[in-house]
Amino acid sequence: MSTTITASGAKQKRTGLRLPPELVLLFVLILTVAFFASQNSYFLTVASLRILLLAVVFTGIILIGQSLLIIAGEFDLSVGAVASLGAVSTAIMLASWNVNLWVAIILGTLIGGLVGMLNGVITVVIGIPAFVTTLAMLFLARGFGYVLSGGDPIYPLPRGTGVLAKTEILGLVSSVWIFLFLFFISDLYVRTSSIGRKIYLVGGNKVAAKISGIRVERIKIGLFIFTGALSAFAGILLMSRLERADNVTGLGWELSVIAAAAVGGIRLEGGRGSLTGAFLGLILLQVILQGLVTIGTNAMLLDAVKGLVMIIAVWLAFRKSPQT
């Protein structure tokens, strides 16, 4: 009996000392930065930091919606294609229809939200699994973008198109500030609002959520809409930066976003994780990839490294999950 009590007490003590996953991620990130900085002094310069932030802006914006969707127990494979559709449709409005820049941006973002709503209704109301629905939507959105553009890049765009993404503010371009602002506001809202708590309950235990009176379908469809709108906006932001739109925009973004979410500690079964963790996971992945480039690693190996890091992160998450 005494042995059982002692073991239980030791278990409780270990549980009490467990560090928050975000803190562990931050510690790993600091160690990783320190390692690459010791290998190449350029890695820790202001210029390198700017490159790093620019590299994660577009997938980072999509990561906000995708992370919340995964926490709620769903996911969206069409985000890259929706980003392309948002960019192409907005560019056509600007180049061919002479629509005002800000009106075109709003309409392009709404197109992404509409695609997200279709994903949500088909998945949640009709009951077709998200994997099938969003994979089909990936091809539909990409194909529709090709039809709209005729398969060719759309340029030149009207003068001033780059103002959304390329305006310099305190040493950083506006696209970086937009990304950081969206992440901060979304994280704050999820942590402090009743909707945020409902999202976690929906992903953790859908039956309990329904019994509690939570409208599970409405929350999931809302998150699909939010993810679709952010995806289109990310594509529009890239269009603004490049001052052109291309159908290849967003290729592979869906996998990069899911990888960042997994590395950031978001449980792919839903119900656990945070936007802060997702943000750190995104930065950690980019630090590793950028660091490997600075020390001369073959660029062909970078995708393999990303996959390896994702597998390790998910394995560690499963090991730390409580047994049920």
Side-chain angles (χ1 to χ4, degrees), residues 17-26 320:
L17 292 174
R18 182 176 295 172
L19 293 173
E22 294 88 353
L23 193 59
V24 175
L25 265 174
L26 180 60
K320 291 178 181 178

Side-chain angles (χ1 to χ4, degrees), residues 73-74 117-134 206 210 217 220-221 224:
E74 302 289 350
M117 185 177 71
L118 289 174
N119 279 333
V121 170
I122 294 171
T123 299
V124 178
V125 178
I126 298 178
I128 297 176
F131 176 82
V132 177
T133 301
T134 60
K206 185 171 71 174
K210 286 187 174 182
E217 292 80 8
K220 287 191 173 185
I221 292 174
F224 271 110

Side-chain angles (χ1 to χ4, degrees), residues 102-113:
W102 303 107
V103 173
I105 290 169
I106 292 170
L107 292 176
T109 303
L110 289 175
I111 288 172

Side-chain angles (χ1 to χ4, degrees), residues 66-212:
Q66 186 79 286
S67 296
L68 295 177
L69 201 53
I70 293 173
I71 290 171
E74 302 289 350
F75 61 90
D76 188 348
L77 294 177
S78 68
V79 291
V82 175
S84 175
L85 180 61
V88 167
S89 57
T90 303
I92 288 174
M93 284 186 262
L94 293 172
S96 302
W97 303 349
N98 296 318
V99 177
N100 174 270
L101 173 64
W102 303 107
V103 173
I105 290 169
I106 292 170
L107 292 176
T109 303
L110 289 175
I111 288 172
L114 177 61
V115 175
M117 185 177 71
L118 289 174
N119 279 333
V121 170
I122 294 171
T123 299
V124 178
V125 178
I126 298 178
I128 297 176
F131 176 82
V132 177
T133 301
T134 60
L135 184 61
M137 192 62 70
L138 182 157
F139 292 112
L140 285 170
R142 187 75 66 183
F144 195 56
Y146 274 110
V147 171
L148 283 176
S149 66
D152 298 318
I154 302 172
Y155 70 93
L157 297 180
R159 198 172 170 187
T161 301
V163 67
L164 176 66
K166 296 166 71 174
T167 303
E168 285 273 346
I169 304 173
L170 299 176
L172 293 173
V173 292
S174 50
S175 56
V176 173
W177 290 113
I178 290 170
F179 159 59
L180 295 174
F181 174 78
L182 287 174
F183 235 115
F184 175 77
I185 291 298
S186 300
D187 189 36
L188 183 64
Y189 180 76
V190 169
R191 289 179 184 274
T192 58
S193 70
S194 61
I195 296 295
R197 292 188 290 272
K198 289 175 182 178
I199 290 172
Y200 280 91
L201 185 55
V202 166
N205 192 326
K206 185 171 71 174
V207 175
K210 286 187 174 182
I211 293 174
S212 301

